[in-house]
Amino acid sequence: MATIFANGAGTANRGFFEPLQYRRCVDHYEFGHDLLEELSSMLEERSAIENSYVSALRSWSRKWHAELTKVSEYPSNKKVWDQVVSTGEQMADVHQSIASTLRDNIQPKLKQWKKDNYEKSIINYKKSIEFEKEFEQVQKPWMKLLESIQESKKAYHKTTKLLKQAEQKKETMPFETPPEMQKQVVDNYIQIKLSVEAARLKYQYLLRDVASSAEPRQRYEANMIEIFQHTQAFEKKRLDFFKEIFAEYTKTLQQQPVFSKILDDYVKVLQTHNTTADLDTWYKTDGPGSHSNYPAFEESQDAIP
């Protein structure tokens, strides 16, 4: 079984609010379908194993009932011996009940839930498309802002590099350089210096909108969290359904006293099931609680002190 909850390639240390990281939540919804398939396959295998065991027990019982009719033995001893064989039939009934419950009660529920909650469009699940569109609508203006910041950073760093070159040219200008040429070099240096300051101010101005207290960032994060909660609501629904299936499996075993020890151990594990804790963990590792990186002012290596 594949590890399906690991972060996608290149997403390590990237927080929920960063560009396109919401895809993990959409993928999480889609992976739920795979998990339903896995659970269904697992229980189908278990049902097949139970049926095989039932068949073997009944075959064993028939054989030894027939053999004991040929045995000459004291009546009471033979009666007990035959009762040993009868326990095979009784156990076969027990395991047949388990197989039938898995096949006739649990599997149809899994199939119906999957059908109801993973309706497909032409290329994808309809709910995946809905989640994707909601996240995209919120991120579109935010991505535009981040692109503007990136462009302004490049412009600032480029002008500081040009300024450094202009300064070197001004400082290393030969003494015999004609006055007009000297004036051109100095004027160019001054003009680039003004451009550096303008580029710096624009870069710093745009960064104001991604500061933690800035209204655009707070609005963006609030909208992203709202959509995240939509995906969390579905995850809660899915986890609660899984718990319902697990509980029904428990009831299947509870009907069989011979499984009391297995049942006790299983119930102890089932009691640790905690939908809220699971959702909180996802919130902290891949949702709004994860650490997100925001642009910060980066001084150019070529900037003049």
Side-chain angles (χ1 to χ4, degrees):
M1 179 177 177
T3 302
I4 63 176
F5 285 123
N7 288 346
T11 62
N13 300 321
R14 298 190 65 183
F16 168 74
F17 295 111
E18 295 183 54
L20 303 181
Q21 293 311 298
Y22 65 80
R23 269 299 318 176
R24 287 179 285 180
C25 296
V26 179
D27 290 343
H28 209 238
Y29 159 76
E30 294 175 359
F31 288 148
H33 181 273
D34 297 338
L35 289 174
L36 284 164
E37 292 283 5
E38 292 285 355
L39 180 58
S40 180
S41 295
M42 184 192 78
L43 295 178
E44 185 177 359
E45 287 180 18
R46 176 61 186 270
S47 181
I49 291 170
E50 294 291 346
N51 280 321
S52 296
Y53 188 41
V54 167
S55 178
L57 280 173
R58 296 201 192 285
S59 177
W60 176 83
S61 296
R62 285 194 301 269
K63 171 187 174 182
W64 284 101
H65 274 311
E67 291 294 332
L68 287 176
T69 61
K70 307 171 187 176
V71 173
S72 177
E73 179 58 292
Y74 296 106
S76 64
N77 195 52
K78 187 174 182 179
K79 182 178 181 180
V80 175
W81 191 347
D82 190 64
Q83 184 61 34
V84 171
V85 178
S86 295
T87 61
E89 298 171 17
Q90 294 168 354
M91 289 298 294
D93 291 339
V94 169
H95 288 277
Q96 183 65 68
S97 174
I98 293 174
S100 297
T101 299
L102 293 174
R103 183 190 65 242
D104 301 332
N105 295 353
I106 296 181
Q107 287 289 11
K109 287 185 178 180
L110 285 167
K111 183 177 180 180
Q112 187 62 46
W113 202 91
K114 185 168 53 178
K115 180 180 178 181
D116 292 342
N117 293 278
Y118 285 92
E119 184 181 359
K120 294 210 71 172
S121 63
I122 297 176
I123 60 174
N124 208 341
Y125 302 114
K126 288 187 176 181
K127 194 170 288 292
S128 292
I129 296 173
E130 291 174 9
F131 288 151
E132 186 86 35
K133 285 182 177 179
E134 287 180 333
F135 279 122
E136 282 181 350
Q137 287 175 357
V138 172
Q139 280 211 342
K140 188 175 181 180
W142 184 255
M143 294 272 283
K144 188 174 181 180
L145 171 61
L146 295 181
E147 288 171 4
S148 297
I149 291 174
Q150 183 64 16
E151 290 173 1
S152 66
K153 183 182 79 171
K154 289 180 179 179
Y156 169 63
H157 287 195
K158 180 179 180 180
T159 54
T160 56
K161 186 174 182 178
L162 291 174
L163 182 62
K164 185 174 183 179
Q165 294 171 351
E167 183 190 34
Q168 289 175 343
K169 187 174 182 180
K170 179 171 70 74
E171 296 296 331
T172 58
M173 200 170 24
F175 181 76
E176 63 273 12
T177 300
E180 289 186 4
M181 181 66 70
Q182 290 185 33
K183 184 178 184 304
Q184 289 179 3
V185 170
V186 172
D187 288 347
N188 182 59
Y189 169 76
I190 293 172
Q191 186 61 44
I192 294 176
K193 191 172 183 180
L194 292 173
S195 297
V196 167
E197 185 59 26
R200 176 197 289 272
L201 290 174
K202 182 178 179 181
Y203 181 22
Q204 291 176 328
Y205 176 82
L206 289 172
L207 282 172
R208 295 189 309 174
D209 286 343
V210 299
S212 59
S213 59
E215 191 274 336
R217 172 171 162 179
Q218 291 181 348
R219 182 176 65 251
Y220 163 71
E221 291 185 350
N223 291 336
M224 287 290 287
I225 289 172
E226 181 180 356
I227 303 170
F228 176 81
Q229 295 301 346
H230 296 171
T231 66
Q232 284 289 76
F234 179 83
E235 283 304 302
K236 182 181 186 305
K237 181 180 179 182
R238 184 182 65 79
L239 289 174
D240 286 344
F241 174 69
F242 269 57
K243 187 174 183 179
E244 178 185 328
I245 294 297
F246 296 152
E248 187 158 346
Y249 176 77
T250 302
K251 292 177 183 177
T252 301
L253 298 185
Q254 281 177 328
Q255 298 169 6
Q256 324 304 333
V258 293
F259 297 135
S260 59
K261 176 61 171 64
I262 298 174
L263 178 61
D264 288 343
D265 292 342
Y266 180 77
V267 169
K268 287 178 183 177
V269 175
L270 179 61
Q271 288 172 344
T272 67
H273 188 288
N274 190 323
T275 295
T276 300
D278 288 344
L279 294 177
D280 285 346
T281 297
W282 177 255
Y283 181 97
K284 293 174 183 175
T285 58
D286 291 88
S290 59
H291 175 71
S292 294
N293 299 305
Y294 288 93
F297 182 81
E298 296 175 32
E299 184 55 77
S300 168
Q301 295 181 351
D302 300 313
I304 299 174

